Amino acid sequence: VSAGCFFTKKSLEQCSSIPLAGFKATLVKGNILVDLSAGLGVDYVAFLKTFNQVIGVDVDEELNKLVRHNFEKLNLKNIIRFDATAEIFLQENKLPVDVFYMDADRRPSGSTKTFSLTDATPNVLELIPQYKKEKIKWQVVNCQLVRR
């Protein structure tokens, strides 16, 4: 984490390492990527290397304020942050998205880590019907590339 950037304890604990985020970014490329579980933003900042525009979606408004401050301090361009749930973003999205990415919160109700997709936030399995409405070729979920 760069000097002068802010974060919460949970966001720092759950974010990808910079090397892992960089690796994930080598897996896909395109025009627009949407991270539906943006958190601290490490993953979707890495995707700036392989996408023209990156959009982060997170329901935590306080974390979003910190992340916006960090991105401004780091002078990051072509990056947008939405205060919304993944479900609401997918319902309202009108952009032609190339990739939806998600590394869901696996500790949504406290400190116990969950390994089930149904227990994660957002629930990946509940979002699949909304994904299918989108005209996309690839989805990245938990660093797994899934061909549609």
Side-chain angles (χ1 to χ4, degrees), residues 1 6 14 25 27 33 51 55 59 80 92 94 112 139 141:
V1 177
F6 297 107
Q14 292 200 348
L27 299 176
L33 176 133
F51 285 84
I55 298 167
V59 70
I80 299 170
E92 297 178 359
K94 303 290 186 244
T112 305
Q139 299 172 35
V141 179

Side-chain angles (χ1 to χ4, degrees), residues 44 48 51-55 75-80:
Y44 85 100
L48 283 172
F51 285 84
N52 295 323
Q53 184 175 38
V54 180
I55 298 167
N75 198 30
L76 295 174
K77 306 292 183 202
N78 300 329
I79 197 163
I80 299 170

Side-chain angles (χ1 to χ4, degrees), residues 16-36:
S16 297
S17 67
I18 291 172
L20 177 58
F23 170 74
K24 293 176 191 181
T26 67
L27 299 176
V28 289
K29 63 182 177 179
N31 188 38
I32 299 176
L33 176 133
V34 174
D35 183 344
L36 291 170

Side-chain angles (χ1 to χ4, degrees), residues 44-96:
Y44 85 100
V45 167
F47 283 116
L48 283 172
K49 295 176 184 164
T50 55
F51 285 84
N52 295 323
Q53 184 175 38
V54 180
I55 298 167
V57 179
D58 202 288
V59 70
D60 186 337
E61 291 181 19
E62 291 302 313
L63 177 60
N64 291 342
K65 288 177 188 175
L66 297 177
V67 169
R68 286 184 186 103
H69 164 83
N70 294 344
F71 291 171
E72 186 174 319
K73 181 168 183 60
L74 296 170
N75 198 30
L76 295 174
K77 306 292 183 202
N78 300 329
I79 197 163
I80 299 170
R81 185 74 170 208
F82 280 97
D83 298 320
T85 64
E87 295 83 359
I88 289 172
F89 181 86
L90 286 170
Q91 288 170 6
E92 297 178 359
N93 177 51
K94 303 290 186 244
L95 297 170

